[in-house]
Amino acid sequence: MNFKGVIDTTFRDGQQSPLMFDAYKYRFTFEDKKNLIYGLIQLGVRNFEFFSPNVSKSEARDFNKIKQYVSTLNIPGIRFLAHCRCHPVDIEEAIKAGFDGLNLYISMTQYAQQYSHGMKFTEIISHVKKIVETTRKFYPNLYLRFSAEDSFRTPLEDIFQIYDEIYESVDTFGMPDTVGVATPTIVEERLLAVKKRYPKADIECHFHNDRGYSLINSVTAVLNGASYIDTSIWGMAERSGITSVTGLLLNLFYEDKSLCRGYNLKLCYPLNVLMGSIIKLQVSPTEPVSITNRTHTAGVHQKAVLNNPYVYEAHDLKNFGVDKKQLFLGPLSGKNLIYYYLREIEYYDLTQEQATEIAKEFKSESAEMNKKNKPEAILKKIVEQYNLPKLLIKKEYLKNRVENLD
Ligand code: HCA
């Protein structure tokens, strides 16, 4: 395997996420970026993609400040990459701003030829060749990546035609699945073909999640020779997003721990929570490294988990920083959770038989549960009729409890 790490694009594709609009946030502030990049660096990420500075004055200004801030952290190996159209202005501005490399891209599909940039196939080839070769000539040490955008809808022969022309001038070839059409089988086939033809080049993949395949495609790409995978926090990116950095690290860990060397996996969950606190939304329920994956609602699950979590928790998410779990009291809870809840949380001294009785009554009211009539309140009313004594617990024990019971 050739995996060299993830390329974070939270500050580029991440800011193209519709979530920024759902949250009325629109863009990360400099403070947000500073906190997020600090978290990502602590996690072990070293490559960061930003917009080319000419996208807006505020992005240019923030990048400048972020670069200065990161230099004060004295972390070796950090690389800042500018996402640039194959356009001299994007490139000049990025170089002026002090980027370490350029992530160049252009689409060669019929769709883009007709409806986007309007260049014909042969024009694209000569344009890209000129841009890439000139940049390489003047900046021999600049990291250069070139991507045929929408490469999974571009015939492989077309990709080969352009990549052959610039093979000697680039460090990395990108294989972006811009509209999320790739499947693991196609990823494997293409990766092997591209890697075979260009053994000296690194391959970077960028998978959109339109079919829900971005994570499996990313893992497949790593297992078939990709050097870099583009990720972002929560997988935030255009439309339904790309690969979540923590989702990928978790899965690579289960494929082969050595792929995660250099990453401080315990910081995965705190980083997801940090993003939640910035955009004021809950971590996505489909995110593998989430408290959702440690939340149990059905009575059968709750009983088993109280006895031994492994029954319904296959992955040790503590390794990824999720060190809590949630058992939700609700319509599906049974006597086991009710016994646990009344004893451990409400300190009632009750028997298993009483818990069984209470559970029966509680379940009979499950249709009445809603935002105004919460399960805890319903249970409280039922329990009051039982006149149960309370357990005597010393104050210092209560103070030292670690659960957040609010
Ligand atoms: C975009 C498209 C892109 C670029 C990927 C890349 C994609 O938002 O402009 O530069 O490799 O998905 O193709 O994100």
Side-chain angles (χ1 to χ4, degrees), residues 178-198:
T178 306
V179 290
V181 293
T183 62
T185 314
I186 297 169
V187 170
E188 181 175 344
E189 265 170 37
R190 286 226 162 179
L191 254 288
L192 293 177
V194 173
K195 197 64 211 161
K196 187 167 167 211
R197 196 167 175 105
Y198 309 109

Side-chain angles (χ1 to χ4, degrees), residues 135-148:
T135 312
R136 174 53 78 226
K137 186 167 156 216
F138 288 106
Y139 302 97
N141 299 321
L142 193 69
Y143 169 87
L144 286 184
R145 183 220 70 182
F146 175 77
S147 282

